[in-house]
Amino acid sequence: RVFCDESSDKGTPYVANTLEPCVLPADPVNAVEDMVINLDSVDCTTFVEYMAAAMLAGVKAPDRNDSLLRQKVQALRYRNGQRGNYASRKHYFSEWISDNVAQGLMTDVTESCAGAVHVTKKINFMSTHPQSYTQLSASSELVEQIRKVEERLSASDMCYVPCDRIADNFQNLKAGDIIAFVTSIHGLDIQHVGMVWWPDTKTGSPRLLHASSAKGR
């Protein structure tokens, strides 16, 4: 209810890059990122982060000043839950998943899904497009730190469910499950994320609750 009101077809505005500072730090390599919690505008990843953090914190109405909520957002957003510079943030969602599983914050059930397959992919989108990221365009050292993360991700396989097998898994989905969409874009692992929303499991199919760039909310 904080983010959407289905009956009136309204929702929190979609805004990209809400985690990026308006002014770059003088020393981006050694600067610790501010702890940003913006509940007034979200993109697909921050929406999932805030919702997941609220569930982990056991709160029904997220409050940006709630210390437990802030703790959970930090754990979800930063590698090993340790907030550092720009490269300490989990920019690739496949790492977001694996790191949060390693922290015991969630369980990845993809491998147990019907039709699940494994694939390896060269991950290098950020380091090969530094001009698209303000922080990377300002620091070659940050680019190198990101490249090392990409090399580690490229050495691991990724499990996903092909499109023609997704419906076979509907009965195992639960409201609140996180859904990630793999992509064929070169160098990228996951392009969009959301959560399962299933108002009535007796009728109809599960739906996707997400921050949509196309609809702007």
Side-chain angles (χ1 to χ4, degrees):
R1 290 304 177 187
V2 170
F3 292 100
C4 70
D5 184 346
E6 209 172 17
S7 61
S8 60
D9 200 29
K10 294 180 180 179
T12 299
Y14 178 99
V15 178
N17 303 319
T18 58
L19 303 184
E20 310 310 326
C22 295
V23 178
L24 283 179
D27 183 1
V29 175
N30 294 306
V32 176
E33 286 205 323
D34 291 334
M35 187 63 225
V36 176
I37 297 183
N38 182 352
L39 304 179
D40 299 321
S41 55
V42 293
D43 59 23
C44 65
T45 301
T46 56
F47 168 70
V48 167
E49 279 185 341
Y50 298 144
M51 292 288 282
M55 288 190 286
L56 288 168
V59 296
K60 293 183 179 180
D63 178 351
R64 75 185 75 244
N65 296 314
D66 184 285
S67 60
L68 184 56
L69 181 73
R70 294 177 69 85
Q71 175 188 341
K72 298 303 182 183
V73 171
Q74 177 167 312
L76 290 167
R77 183 176 295 165
Y78 294 95
R79 192 172 302 108
N80 300 317
Q82 302 300 311
R83 180 160 49 97
N85 67 12
Y86 178 80
S88 71
R89 200 194 314 165
K90 293 172 277 194
H91 297 279
Y92 288 99
F93 205 78
S94 58
E95 184 187 26
W96 192 95
I97 296 169
S98 61
D99 182 81
N100 290 326
V101 168
Q103 290 190 66
L105 299 174
M106 57 187 61
T107 302
D108 184 358
V109 300
T110 312
E111 196 165 11
S112 65
C113 292
V117 296
H118 288 264
V119 64
T120 56
K121 188 175 183 182
K122 179 73 172 179
I123 306 299
N124 61 4
F125 189 89
M126 293 181 70
S127 65
T128 56
H129 298 79
Q131 69 281 0
S132 299
Y133 304 90
T134 305
Q135 303 263 34
L136 297 185
S137 62
S139 172
S140 59
E141 188 170 341
L142 281 181
V143 174
E144 184 58 31
Q145 291 181 15
I146 290 291
R147 183 179 290 112
K148 290 180 180 179
V149 173
E150 294 171 335
E151 289 175 353
R152 178 166 47 80
L153 295 177
S154 298
S156 303
D157 63 2
M158 184 167 55
C159 186
Y160 76 100
V161 178
C163 292
D164 60 356
R165 298 301 304 275
I166 292 175
D168 297 338
N169 292 281
F170 278 178
Q171 71 277 9
N172 297 319
L173 296 178
K174 297 184 177 72
D177 283 350
I178 296 171
I179 303 294
F181 295 85
V182 296
T183 179
S184 58
I185 294 176
H186 181 72
L188 195 60
D189 53 352
I190 289 166
Q191 187 176 17
H192 190 56
V193 296
M195 305 184 85
V196 173
W197 177 246
W198 205 341
D200 187 353
T201 56
K202 295 181 180 179
T203 61
S205 299
R207 299 162 63 185
L208 182 71
L209 184 63
H210 65 133
S212 169
S213 59
K215 292 187 175 182
R217 62 181 183 270

